Amino acid sequence: MKALHQALTLANITTVQVSTPHSLGILTSSEPPSSGQFRPGYDKAIFAPMLDFLRQTKSPFLVNPYPFFGIDPNRPDSLNWALFKPNGGVLDSVTGLNYTNMFDAQMDAVFSAMKKLGYDDVELVVAETGWPSAGDPGQPGVGLDNAASYNGNLIRHVNSGQGTPLMPNRTFETFVFSLFNENLKPTISEQNYGLFKPDLKPVYDVGLLTHQEVRIFPCIQ
């Protein structure tokens, strides 16, 4: 990242930010969100210097939150919690804050980990998130309705500017995964994250279509 930034600077390109995305596997703890922390050893050796670089270059920390992977078949309400649908919420007993959706909880867990290292001022960007519209038989949570519900509610939520319980009144730049279904992925669910089929026919609409024509595209990464 430093080498790329230096190369861009030498080329007098000052408007390109350099960062790299992370799965939530970087956390050793995320429940409750206030307990979020980076994996021991990685925190000071990797993430502290990385966050320092991002702070110096005014670049964002990129994360890939996937509530889909957090649904628990043994907790019936966890699906609604992941989909931004009405639910009883989950209380963080440390902060006293109630979380009405899993996306906010995951984002605040990352924020808590950053804050423990003293870098809570670095911007957070959602580099990738989504929901499969199809999957293997019996796979919990997959389906066209749930995919449309998650991405539609996600767009409304991040555009609302309400932020999260620990990061109120913030709007997160968010990239939806993915633009197209990909038939070479190894599992059925992985093949069906797209908003569109490869022939540009929509799988479902989350507000991107006008008269069945594509109005805007999410970013391809």
Side-chain angles (χ1 to χ4, degrees):
M1 290 165 63
K2 287 181 177 179
L4 285 172
H5 178 72
Q6 183 179 22
L8 289 167
T9 301
L10 290 173
N12 200 31
I13 299 172
T14 59
T15 58
V16 176
Q17 296 173 312
V18 179
S19 190
T20 187
H22 302 87
S23 78
L24 295 198
I26 59 177
L27 302 179
T28 187
S29 176
S30 61
E31 294 185 22
S34 60
S35 72
Q37 59 182 13
F38 295 115
R39 291 187 176 187
Y42 289 79
D43 51 356
K44 296 181 180 179
I46 295 177
F47 291 109
M50 182 186 295
L51 288 164
D52 191 62
F53 165 79
L54 296 175
R55 174 189 278 168
Q56 291 179 27
T57 59
K58 295 180 173 58
S59 300
F61 188 60
L62 307 182
V63 292
N64 301 344
Y66 273 90
F68 170 72
F69 295 118
I71 58 175
D72 184 352
N74 298 316
R75 296 164 59 185
D77 211 28
S78 71
L79 181 59
N80 285 341
W81 194 51
L83 292 172
F84 300 91
K85 290 185 175 181
N87 61 88
V90 175
L91 179 69
D92 186 328
S93 59
V94 177
T95 61
L97 297 171
N98 188 55
Y99 286 82
T100 59
N101 65 82
M102 195 186 302
F103 176 85
D104 283 355
Q106 292 181 340
M107 292 294 288
D108 275 358
V110 175
F111 175 78
S112 295
M114 295 167 64
K115 188 174 182 178
K116 287 180 172 68
L117 293 178
Y119 293 97
D120 50 313
D121 58 317
V122 175
E123 182 185 2
L124 266 172
V125 165
V126 178
E128 180 183 309
T129 187
W131 199 284
S133 60
D136 296 299
Q139 187 175 6
V142 296
L144 194 64
D145 290 343
N146 284 346
S149 179
Y150 175 75
N151 282 324
N153 289 334
L154 168 76
I155 291 169
R156 284 186 286 273
H157 182 65
V158 297
N159 282 336
S160 71
Q162 70 183 64
T164 71
L166 288 180
M167 295 178 285
N169 306 316
R170 287 178 62 170
T171 300
F172 302 102
E173 187 175 6
T174 300
F175 296 88
V176 174
F177 182 85
S178 63
L179 185 57
F180 294 110
N181 282 341
E182 304 173 84
N183 66 354
L184 297 182
K185 288 291 183 73
T187 67
I188 295 177
S189 62
E190 288 178 284
Q191 294 173 10
N192 288 279
Y193 273 85
L195 301 180
F196 297 89
K197 297 176 182 179
D199 61 3
L200 288 181
K201 291 179 180 178
V203 179
Y204 55 89
D205 182 19
V206 288
L208 303 178
L209 305 177
T210 299
H211 305 303
Q212 294 304 304
E213 294 181 356
V214 179
R215 185 168 76 242
I216 58 172
F217 279 107
C219 248
I220 302 175
Q221 292 193 339

